[in-house]
Amino acid sequence: MTMTTDDMASFCKRKGFVYQNSEIYGGMSGFFDYGPLGAEVKNSIKQSWWRFFIHQREDCIGIDGSIISHPTVWKASGHVDCFEDIMLVCSKCKEKIRGDTHIEDELKIAADGMKVAEINQLVREHNLKCPKCKGDFEEANDFNLMFKTQVGPSQDSKATAYLRPETAQLIFTNFRLATDNMRMKLPFGIAQVGKAFRNEISPRNFLFRCREFEQMEIEYFIHPKGLNDCPFFEEVKDHEIVYYSAKMQDEKREMEKATVGKLVTDGVIKTTWHGYWLAMAHKWYVSLGAKSENFRIRQHLDTEKSHYALDTWDLEYNFPFGWKELIGMANRTDFDLSQHIKFSKKDLSLFDEETKEKIVPHVVAEPSFGVDRSFLIFMFDAYVDDKERGNIVLKLHPKLAPIKASVFPLVNKEGLPELAKKIYKELRMDFNVTYDQSGSIGRRYARSDEIGTPLCITVDFDSKEDGTVTVRDRDTTIQERVKIDDLKNIIDAKLRT
Ligand code: GAP
């Protein structure tokens, strides 16, 4: 039996990964709190992402912008006017639900991006009812997803501001400052990790659709004349990926697998840049233990593209509730920089030394990752109900495992706890490790497996004599005798796999 999202939510709560926000007050829909173990995993995801996409590259820098910005930022970006979903309200019980997802659930057709009139027509044609009370719907409406707040002591409309719905805009508004400070030359990326807020009509599927979530985004800027000149494309051209183009969806064909090189040559993916970033995103997930076969790239239909996008591909994951977006990757052209130039009347262009012209760079691919969705998929792919062992084994990549090793004394006497604690304290200086002396060794192994601890270190009577301990591997259960002095290197090597 496959695991459902509800099963994952209860596992996460039981083991201290994720809690419903404000649970003691009945909960707050669309908001979640990460518990002690979840906070570790989430931090590791963000750190690994930052290392992979910023530190390990010469062409990317990172910023950390504010959650609230001048309201004109969101006017210029189009979010105040266009960032909307369609809402259906039940005339009887007043339940509010998202129109497109209701159509998708009921009629099993793609509805993202449908207009109000189309939703109303489908509701009427198919006599769709409220899922809660079976009442009729009122006429559908557009609903803006921006979270409003007031800044300062005033309550008037001039004090209205918005919580950011994406981190991306801070990259555009700081574009010139960051670029000048770091002397960046095109092509280059500016990245940001941080919270985003959307007043989702119907948050659901646990961490998949929340009202407060985190993003890891890169705006990758290129010369407008170099839209197809990705110098790194060679590195990914043989990378295989399952794809589902807009044409295949229109023609109701099945998805297929191909190399990114072929997809670009055949014009399925329009630019080498888009192909490159899609492959890099897929590679990053797989490098951290996600299962390659659970991913595909899907092109947006014309109807579902955001207001700023020329072409968009999502990297999708095969969730228990179907193929859904894990990361979005839009070609935003020069839309955002041009809008901010227009609204701020500031010069955000760059000077092209070769042509001696001012240019406004393009963002031909904007890799926009969700931290919470990433957390969810790493958990799904790691979760194994091991019938032979009789317990769950959370096979998280060691880099993501919340606790890297657990130290046990074999018995709680004859100096073993003292020696085990000494080892634990030394390891704790470098790694997040725990000490556990309660229950049988088997029980302690099972407890460690369930939270994904890659190594268990047992101190026994021989340890006192010869300075060795037993190290047991979570995935293979193989136990090895090693020197206490080698433990740091062993854990370190595990983290580098
Ligand atoms: N800057 C582009 C942008 O924000 P998006 O496709 O709207 O694009 C990017 O969002 C990613 O942010 C999504 O792929 C998803 O991982 C995450 N995300 C968006 N809305 C979310 C929500 N309500 N809850 C959790 N994650 C969300």
Side-chain angles (χ1 to χ4, degrees):
M1 203 177 65
T2 48
M3 192 185 206
T4 67
T5 313
D6 285 347
D7 296 337
M8 180 53 84
S10 27
F11 173 76
C12 282
K13 179 180 169 186
R14 192 159 43 87
K15 288 288 156 192
F17 286 94
V18 183
Y19 311 129
Q20 176 65 58
N21 170 267
S22 313
E23 202 192 52
I24 58 168
Y25 291 103
M28 178 93 171
S29 176
F31 296 90
F32 291 93
D33 300 331
Y34 284 77
L37 299 184
E40 292 291 336
V41 177
K42 193 182 185 198
N43 280 339
S44 300
I45 292 172
K46 292 189 281 184
Q47 281 160 11
S48 298
W49 187 90
W50 196 269
R51 233 185 344 266
F52 188 86
F53 289 107
I54 303 174
H55 289 173
Q56 291 175 0
R57 303 181 63 97
E58 282 178 56
D59 56 342
C60 284
I61 52 174
I63 63 162
D64 182 8
S66 169
I67 282 168
I68 294 177
S69 293
H70 193 292
T72 314
V73 169
W74 305 110
K75 191 78 191 151
S77 70
H79 286 84
V80 171
D81 296 322
C82 307
F83 198 52
E84 290 167 339
D85 278 335
I86 294 170
M87 181 163 70
L88 284 168
V89 182
C90 173
S91 58
K92 212 162 121 200
C93 72
K94 300 295 169 198
E95 172 81 351
K96 296 177 178 68
I97 57 170
R98 207 173 129 169
D100 56 353
T101 46
H102 188 57
I103 300 271
E104 281 174 1
D105 290 348
E106 294 297 306
L107 307 181
K108 311 286 172 231
I109 55 168
D112 196 5
M114 274 186 183
K115 301 274 174 286
V116 168
E118 292 169 89
I119 301 260
N120 277 330
Q121 194 183 338
L122 285 169
V123 167
R124 271 194 299 272
E125 259 174 37
H126 296 272
N127 199 18
L128 299 183
K129 301 283 184 197
C130 166
K132 209 169 161 193
C133 76
K134 303 288 168 231
D136 288 326
F137 289 115
E138 296 169 3
E139 288 288 290
N141 281 311
D142 280 323
F143 177 78
N144 192 285
L145 303 182
M146 299 287 282
F147 261 108
K148 275 191 193 156
T149 187
Q150 296 291 118
V151 175
S154 168
Q155 287 299 311
D156 71 24
S157 64
K158 283 198 195 117
T160 300
Y162 303 94
L163 307 190
R164 64 187 184 198
E166 60 170 10
T167 64
Q169 290 307 318
L170 283 298
I171 296 175
F172 297 118
T173 53
N174 289 299
F175 172 74
R176 268 302 292 271
L177 290 171
T179 305
D180 290 351
N181 288 150
M182 304 309 283
R183 300 193 309 279
M184 301 307 283
K185 297 266 174 280
L186 290 173
F188 63 83
I190 306 183
Q192 184 171 203
V193 174
K195 292 266 184 180
F197 302 82
R198 296 183 187 177
N199 199 5
E200 297 284 353
I201 299 168
S202 13
R204 60 181 185 168
N205 289 324
F206 187 33
L207 297 171
F208 180 79
R209 191 172 302 289
C210 328
R211 291 182 166 133
E212 175 175 340
F213 55 97
E214 262 188 283
Q215 293 185 313
M216 307 181 282
E217 298 198 288
I218 306 170
E219 300 305 317
Y220 201 84
F221 298 98
I222 59 171
H223 195 292
K225 288 193 185 134
L227 298 185
N228 216 7
D229 299 341
C230 173
F232 320 117
F233 192 65
E234 203 49 31
E235 290 169 30
V236 302
K237 73 174 186 6
D238 296 326
H239 183 77
E240 283 194 316
I241 200 150
V242 174
Y243 72 102
Y244 201 26
S245 68
K247 190 161 182 275
M248 291 157 95
Q249 295 164 66
D250 282 339
E251 293 170 359
K252 307 241 175 308
R253 279 159 49 202
E254 293 295 309
M255 53 196 173
E256 287 174 26
K257 197 175 199 179
T259 63
V260 175
K262 180 160 168 35
L263 293 177
V264 170
T265 311
D266 292 352
V268 178
I269 298 178
K270 293 197 190 72
T271 70
T272 46
W273 281 113
H274 224 142
Y276 171 73
W277 283 110
L278 286 163
M280 290 303 283
H282 185 214
K283 274 168 172 267
W284 177 72
Y285 280 109
V286 174
S287 77
L288 285 177
K291 293 178 183 158
S292 184
E293 65 273 20
N294 284 339
F295 292 80
R296 74 174 185 189
I297 52 170
R298 187 185 70 83
Q299 190 177 26
H300 279 204
L301 301 171
D302 277 342
T303 46
E304 55 179 314
K305 281 188 274 190
S306 305
H307 59 277
Y308 49 72
L310 181 69
D311 184 23
T312 301
W313 285 82
D314 289 340
L315 181 67
E316 293 191 333
Y317 178 84
N318 195 5
F319 286 94
F321 44 95
W323 286 100
K324 295 282 173 201
E325 172 182 346
L326 175 60
I327 80 169
M329 208 179 282
N331 177 347
R332 289 181 89 125
T333 65
D334 59 354
F335 174 84
D336 301 270
L337 283 179
S338 298
Q339 284 291 99
H340 289 301
I341 291 170
K342 191 167 128 199
F343 277 72
S344 69
K345 303 196 174 39
K346 296 281 175 345
D347 183 7
L348 303 180
S349 62
L350 297 182
F351 187 69
D352 183 338
E353 299 290 348
E354 257 176 49
T355 60
K356 307 289 178 215
E357 285 170 339
K358 280 187 172 180
I359 52 138
V360 179
H362 278 232
V363 169
V364 80
E366 176 212 36
S368 176
F369 297 63
V371 178
D372 311 83
R373 289 188 194 177
S374 301
F375 174 93
L376 197 52
I377 73 105
F378 284 126
M379 292 293 280
F380 274 126
D381 279 354
Y383 187 98
V384 178
D385 188 358
D386 190 323
K387 300 286 179 223
E388 235 171 78
R389 279 192 223 185
N391 60 262
I392 287 152
V393 187
L394 194 64
K395 294 193 174 178
L396 283 171
H397 189 287
K399 282 192 182 117
L400 301 185
I403 290 161
K404 307 305 177 193
S406 195
V407 186
F408 314 146
L410 181 65
V411 289
N412 294 325
K413 56 184 184 187
E414 295 180 44
L416 297 192
E418 288 75 12
L419 179 55
K421 271 192 193 151
K422 184 168 173 275
I423 295 170
Y424 154 67
K425 281 183 185 158
E426 272 168 31
L427 294 178
R428 205 173 60 181
M429 292 299 113
D430 294 291
F431 310 100
N432 192 27
V433 293
T434 54
Y435 173 81
D436 187 358
Q437 62 172 40
S438 70
S440 68
I441 286 289
R443 189 62 218 121
R444 284 180 258 175
Y445 281 156
R447 240 186 340 251
S448 305
D449 284 350
E450 282 181 349
I451 59 167
T453 308
L455 299 171
C456 290
I457 299 161
T458 306
V459 175
D460 56 23
F461 295 107
D462 288 342
S463 309
K464 291 203 296 185
E465 306 302 323
D466 61 6
T468 64
V469 288
T470 301
V471 172
R472 181 253 197 191
D473 185 285
R474 174 195 71 196
D475 298 342
T476 61
T477 70
I478 290 171
Q479 302 186 11
E480 270 185 277
R481 205 70 199 168
V482 305
K483 289 203 189 103
I484 294 170
D485 290 345
D486 288 342
L487 281 172
K488 282 194 179 177
N489 285 341
I490 290 168
I491 301 174
D492 204 47
K494 195 77 188 161
L495 293 178
R496 288 174 193 283
T497 49

